[in-house]
Amino acid sequence: MPSPLVTVFLFAHQDDEYGVYELIHQSVCQGRQVMCIYFTTGVRSTDDPSTRNRESLAVLNDMGVPADNVIFAGAALGISDLNLHRSLREASDWFEAWLLSHSHIDEMFVTAWEGGHPDHDSLHAIAVHTCVRVGIANVLRQYSLYNAFNRPKPFFRVLAPLPHNGRVDLTSIPWSRRLRFLKYTLRYSSQRGSWVGLFPFMLLHYVLRGTQAVQGTSVERLQERPHDGPLYYEHRKFATWPDVRSRIQEWRAQKDNSSIADD
């Protein structure tokens, strides 16, 4: 039997899969091998990520993704929530080695370059730069989670792709799956505080639009501020754009001065 084609989903935190429920469903139904990788622990450095891991594993398992196909790279690397932009080299070295050891990858999805969370944007930079290095940039696309484009503080948009990231490809989600996906969002009990803010927007999205949106990626976008005005993670004081930008620029320069064989 030929090896199945592989679809890879890249997440910064456990529960980020809410942005691609429909894509995961489609990939499983198509008989693809679905791989999910989490690049942070999803919690502070002093906290235990096991509860968050179990919540995401339960949702993914219900969707048909076996636990063996879920990798908690952030836990193995010791990268806690809000610290991926400080661990770009470690995460990208691991990811590059992982990509080089896996064939048949013809689809990959990563969090968007949108200024919502510094870990999301950092993961986006890692994915784009690494895929270019190993020659598979054509398989990578991005999905939006949340951003503050054209929103006054403290408001934000959910599942709303930035026009700055190019053409949006939309897929309509049947009503039966919209209801199923909304139920999944209620299963992240450890994140009730976050989902109090997210759930109403998810509900509106599924009622009014009910679409799965993806966009292409571009290495040139890594030079640009995600959008004009304050970014959502700046509203929340999680990080500043100048700090995130400088760390990404420094890391890219280091990687560009090394060969894949060196790493």
Side-chain angles (χ1 to χ4, degrees):
M1 292 290 290
S3 299
L5 295 175
V6 179
T7 301
V8 179
F9 293 95
L10 306 179
F11 306 121
H13 315 108
Q14 306 91 325
D15 80 0
D16 285 350
E17 60 269 14
Y18 79 84
V20 285
Y21 284 149
E22 177 65 10
L23 293 174
I24 294 172
H25 171 85
Q26 290 178 2
S27 297
V28 170
C29 289
Q30 291 166 6
R32 292 175 169 272
Q33 182 181 8
V34 174
M35 304 291 297
C36 298
I37 307 176
Y38 295 87
F39 279 79
T40 79
T41 63
V43 295
R44 296 174 297 180
S45 59
T46 55
D47 291 344
D48 182 358
S50 58
T51 298
R52 294 206 70 182
N53 293 349
R54 286 194 299 269
E55 289 169 353
S56 283
L57 283 171
V59 170
L60 293 172
N61 181 258
D62 194 76
M63 299 188 79
V65 180
D68 287 347
N69 287 10
V70 182
I71 303 171
F72 295 104
L77 296 169
I79 304 173
S80 56
D81 182 31
L82 291 172
N83 279 291
L84 190 54
H85 65 296
R86 300 184 180 95
S87 305
L88 294 166
R89 184 62 189 250
E90 298 92 329
S92 62
D93 286 352
W94 179 92
F95 185 51
E96 188 171 286
W98 187 87
L99 283 180
L100 292 171
S101 67
H102 287 75
S103 58
H104 306 294
I105 297 174
D106 74 328
E107 285 186 342
M108 191 180 307
F109 300 93
V110 67
T111 47
W113 185 253
E114 60 182 346
H117 193 292
D119 290 342
H120 298 168
D121 285 7
S122 298
L123 178 55
H124 182 96
I126 289 168
V128 170
H129 191 265
T130 305
C131 285
V132 169
R133 276 175 64 86
V134 303
I136 60 169
N138 61 303
V139 309
L140 183 65
R141 287 181 285 174
Q142 62 183 310
Y143 60 92
S144 172
L145 291 175
Y146 53 82
N147 61 72
F149 179 56
N150 283 344
R151 293 293 186 274
K153 181 181 179 180
F155 299 106
F156 57 95
R157 313 182 313 157
V158 176
L159 303 181
L162 291 180
H164 312 65
N165 289 331
R167 188 187 73 188
V168 180
D169 294 323
L170 296 174
T171 302
S172 180
I173 303 172
W175 276 101
S176 60
R177 288 206 291 276
R178 298 185 204 184
L179 295 174
R180 176 185 171 192
F181 297 160
L182 282 172
K183 290 179 182 178
Y184 284 153
T185 67
L186 302 176
R187 297 176 67 172
Y188 305 110
S189 300
S190 69
Q191 301 303 299
R192 288 192 185 95
S194 297
W195 278 99
V196 165
L198 284 171
F199 184 81
F201 295 102
M202 286 286 291
L203 178 62
L204 283 174
H205 172 81
Y206 280 132
V207 170
L208 299 179
R209 296 195 296 273
T211 55
Q212 173 72 67
V214 295
Q215 295 169 285
T217 62
S218 165
V219 72
E220 289 77 22
R221 273 287 279 155
L222 303 183
Q223 311 277 1
E224 303 172 0
R225 186 180 181 88
H227 60 77
D228 295 335
L231 306 178
Y232 186 68
Y233 64 70
E234 292 179 315
H235 284 332
R236 296 292 305 275
K237 302 188 185 302
F238 289 157
T240 67
W241 163 246
D243 183 39
V244 172
R245 177 184 58 189
S246 65
R247 290 176 184 274
I248 289 175
Q249 289 175 339
E250 180 180 358
W251 156 73
R252 290 183 64 195
Q254 292 173 350
K255 292 292 287 186
D256 288 342
N257 287 328
S258 67
S259 68
I260 293 178
D262 291 337
D263 295 336

